[in-house]
Amino acid sequence: MPVRKIIAILVALFIALPARAMSLINDTETEKLLIELITPLANAADIPDGRLRVHIVNDDDFNAFVMGGEDVYLYTGLLKQIKSPVALQAVVAHELGHTLGGHMAQMSARMAAEMKRALMIQALGVGLMVAGGNPSLGAGVLAGAGGVAQQSMLAFSRDEERIADDMGVDIMAAAGLDPNAFIDVFEQMREMSDAFESRVNPNRINHPLTAERLKNVREKITKTKIEKQDKKTIARQSADYELVRAKLIGYLDTSARVLTQYPYSDKGDGAIYARAIANMRGGNLDAARTGTRTLISHKPTNPYFYELLGDIEFQFGHYDDSVIAYEKSLELLPDAPQIQTALALVLNERNKPGDKARAAELTRTAILTEPSPLTYWVLAQTFDDGDGRADWAMAEYYSMNNDEKNAKSYAKRARKKLKSGTPEYIKSGDILNKKWK
């Protein structure tokens, strides 16, 4: 397999295909830690177990938002820049504060009211022009109508941000977490935005100035009861979070930026991790493998280090070594659909006796837990050419990518080859009858 194709497949295991306007990242290590960090906040916000979903947006903005009360979107720019897990929890608590405050629904209602108000002012402007015979009499009212609505909306938004900060502090405290993390976040934000905010009119932005938010949360925290923190848990989560940050930086930033943040003088596991990933991406496989083996010697029970070693050995073309590394990763972390898919991909490429059957087993298990386009693509490779099951799997692949034309084409081919009533035959029919957006 050409090196370019290998790299493309490995990146696909880490970065998902674009979903509408956003490119979402899928990574087992990152997602598991984020779910662990956010679950106490969800419980404190009375969100039922298992209902809160975490999505990682591949975007360098320092941003996060909650949609529908149960979907948390965290930007990679935020994850790379926030230095501690508890600070990240504070950001999510703030976003949940918006949800609990019903601010999205209130914002929609407020927008409708302000739009009506603006239209009434514009109608008044038109009336002045007609009645007075002088276009300039109404023109000023027309020009100001949108501004009045905008100023009202900005003031509303600033108020909601203050309320969300207060509610976020309450959520952190209810979750048994230290709300002082809000101070860390706002101090970091102030460093990033001080130059800009010193020149801006505070009435022309939709957030209160950072200095004001910092003052408000300090006052709120002094009135909040803070539980004693579990230092061991905090230390473990901090170490795990540093590895996740390093992984994101290693995969998403240029090699030069990786080395700026993690120079060779830095011997920490996070630095070694980021450099190993950057070296793999840059084709320096020997250095990548050496770094990864160093990490394994430090933490031999970390499944994600073996996953990375499997990636590297695959790029070398050392399929046997890659399979051994991935199998070790799954031994340590059995329920990992993305790693199962990666191992299945290597087994398909190696193609020793029994490999295709094992790959099919792995992909089917992964699909039951977490279906993805790539997993269906790998499953299709486990079948012989001309097998209707391969056509069905490719139909599922295109369906998940919202490619109606190819999905229907493969589904029709599958139905011609498959025996009526088989699961793949029925699922192919479901794709043909699917209502496409």
Side-chain angles (χ1 to χ4, degrees), residues 298-320:
H298 292 175
K299 294 180 179 176
T301 59
N302 186 313
Y304 308 111
F305 295 160
Y306 291 100
E307 178 191 15
L308 178 58
L309 182 60
D311 294 348
I312 295 165
E313 296 293 3
F314 181 38
Q315 289 205 45
F316 266 119
H318 301 166
Y319 293 160
D320 290 348

Side-chain angles (χ1 to χ4, degrees), residues 37-38 136 257 338 381:
L37 295 175
I38 291 173
S136 65
R257 289 180 67 181
Q338 292 163 36
Q381 314 313 307

Side-chain angles (χ1 to χ4, degrees), residues 114 144-156 158 203-204:
E114 292 302 338
V148 170
Q150 182 187 45
Q151 287 301 310
S152 178
M153 286 303 302
L154 288 173
F156 173 79
R158 289 192 298 271
N203 295 318
R204 299 291 294 175

Side-chain angles (χ1 to χ4, degrees), residues 387-395 407-419 422 424-425 427-429 432:
D387 189 323
R389 292 174 298 173
D391 293 323
W392 156 72
M394 288 304 297
K408 286 185 173 180
S409 174
Y410 274 98
K412 288 175 182 176
R413 287 165 56 176
R415 299 263 290 189
K416 288 179 181 178
K417 300 172 186 176
L418 292 167
K419 186 177 180 180
T422 60
E424 293 84 1
Y425 182 92
K427 291 175 183 176
S428 297
L432 291 172

Side-chain angles (χ1 to χ4, degrees), residues 148-275:
V148 170
Q150 182 187 45
Q151 287 301 310
S152 178
M153 286 303 302
L154 288 173
F156 173 79
S157 181
R158 289 192 298 271
D159 287 342
E160 299 314 311
E161 291 300 326
R162 295 184 189 99
I163 294 170
D165 286 342
D166 283 353
M167 296 188 76
V169 169
D170 290 336
I171 291 170
M172 287 284 283
L177 302 170
D178 187 355
N180 281 293
F182 271 95
I183 296 173
D184 296 336
V185 173
F186 288 140
E187 285 181 342
Q188 186 174 351
M189 287 175 61
R190 186 167 61 177
E191 289 176 9
M192 296 165 58
S193 62
D194 229 12
F196 165 76
E197 290 191 352
S198 64
R199 301 190 304 271
V200 74
N201 180 344
N203 295 318
R204 299 291 294 175
I205 57 176
N206 64 359
H207 281 60
L209 293 177
T210 305
E212 180 187 347
R213 297 177 74 180
L214 187 54
K215 176 177 176 292
N216 290 341
V217 295
R218 284 186 193 276
E219 292 175 356
K220 172 70 175 178
I221 290 170
T222 60
K223 305 170 186 175
T224 302
K225 181 182 178 182
I226 302 173
E227 298 291 334
K228 186 177 180 181
Q229 304 301 297
D230 182 346
K231 292 183 179 180
K232 286 186 179 180
T233 299
I234 291 172
R236 177 185 59 77
Q237 290 178 342
S238 296
D240 290 346
Y241 184 72
E242 175 51 33
L243 289 176
V244 162
R245 285 185 64 243
K247 187 176 198 174
L248 290 170
I249 291 166
Y251 269 111
L252 301 177
D253 286 356
T254 64
S255 294
R257 289 180 67 181
V258 171
L259 288 177
T260 297
Q261 186 147 350
Y262 297 105
Y264 281 103
S265 58
D266 187 342
K267 306 299 182 183
D269 284 350
I272 297 172
Y273 202 19
R275 292 195 299 264

